[in-house]
Amino acid sequence: MVSRARKPAAKKSAKKTFSTRKSQVKGGLVIDTRRPRVLIVEARFYEDIADALFEGAKAVIEASDFDYDRIDVPGALELPAAIRFAMNRKGERAYDGYVALGCVIRGETSHYDVVVNESARGLQQLALEHQLAIGNGIITVENEEQAWDRARKDRQDKGGNAALACVAMIGLKQLFSA
């Protein structure tokens, strides 16, 4: 696992209303003065595609005025375990949400089905059992052309969509925790 540089935190003094680019939580939801922190976990098996997914996720997180850290894992099967390890972080450095990014391209064996199903099951299990805000940005495709279409920020932007889901789930968690 490789830790990457993160966006530096800017000081905020006032409370802020939560919103996303596509929706707004009604009812005057106010988040605390600590900027939410998200961990982006990338499966780097297809490095160029992972970078494209990250660009979309980063744009949404920065537009949401959240802090983030970025780490790497070898492949999609390792994403749930990395998030589970990161849950141990407490206090000011705890994560409010997680974005899992990766790409699985179908090959000639049934390994594709195992990776796709088990990585998705692991992320969903973590979200439900531990009440985590997780955006699942693992794209599952037949070929590299489909992967690029889904990964690029100017196309389907699945990395951005996963980050948007994470941001929205952080807001919902705060709404129901208040």
Side-chain angles (χ1 to χ4, degrees):
M1 177 168 63
V2 176
S3 181
R4 299 216 177 207
R6 65 181 170 90
K7 180 182 173 222
K11 300 242 179 196
K12 289 282 181 185
S13 58
K15 290 189 177 187
K16 174 182 175 177
T17 301
F18 171 81
S19 67
T20 66
R21 292 188 305 169
K22 294 186 181 177
S23 65
Q24 190 160 15
V25 177
K26 306 268 189 237
L29 175 64
V30 178
I31 61 175
D32 63 23
T33 56
R34 180 183 66 82
R35 288 169 52 153
R37 178 180 300 279
V38 173
L39 179 64
I40 301 172
V41 185
E42 297 178 77
R44 301 290 298 171
F45 194 82
Y46 297 102
E47 291 187 3
D48 291 344
I49 295 169
D51 288 339
L53 288 165
F54 170 73
E55 289 304 318
K58 180 178 95 168
V60 168
I61 291 168
E62 288 179 346
S64 300
D65 202 29
F66 285 19
D67 287 333
Y68 68 88
D69 293 326
R70 177 183 182 191
I71 63 169
D72 301 341
V73 295
L77 280 175
E78 290 77 33
L79 290 166
I83 291 171
R84 182 63 182 97
F85 299 155
M87 285 174 48
N88 293 326
R89 205 171 214 194
K90 305 291 184 217
E92 281 292 311
R93 297 183 46 84
Y95 293 108
D96 299 289
Y98 304 86
V99 179
L101 301 176
C103 176
V104 184
I105 299 175
R106 186 181 300 278
E108 296 177 5
T109 69
S110 62
H111 183 65
Y112 169 89
D113 297 312
V114 172
V115 173
V116 167
N117 293 329
E118 291 303 307
S119 60
R121 183 198 56 77
L123 293 176
Q124 188 67 12
Q125 184 176 347
L126 284 169
L128 295 174
E129 289 181 5
H130 300 283
Q131 299 179 357
L132 299 181
I134 300 177
N136 183 347
I138 303 172
I139 56 175
T140 57
V141 297
E142 299 295 323
N143 55 53
E144 194 171 336
E145 180 182 347
Q146 287 180 353
W148 282 111
D149 185 53
R150 286 164 176 75
R152 285 193 176 110
K153 202 165 80 165
D154 63 344
R155 301 295 308 242
Q156 292 187 33
D157 192 19
K158 296 301 183 181
N161 291 339
L164 190 60
C166 176
V167 167
M169 295 305 288
I170 290 169
L172 284 175
K173 186 175 179 179
Q174 289 177 349
L175 176 66
F176 292 114
S177 297

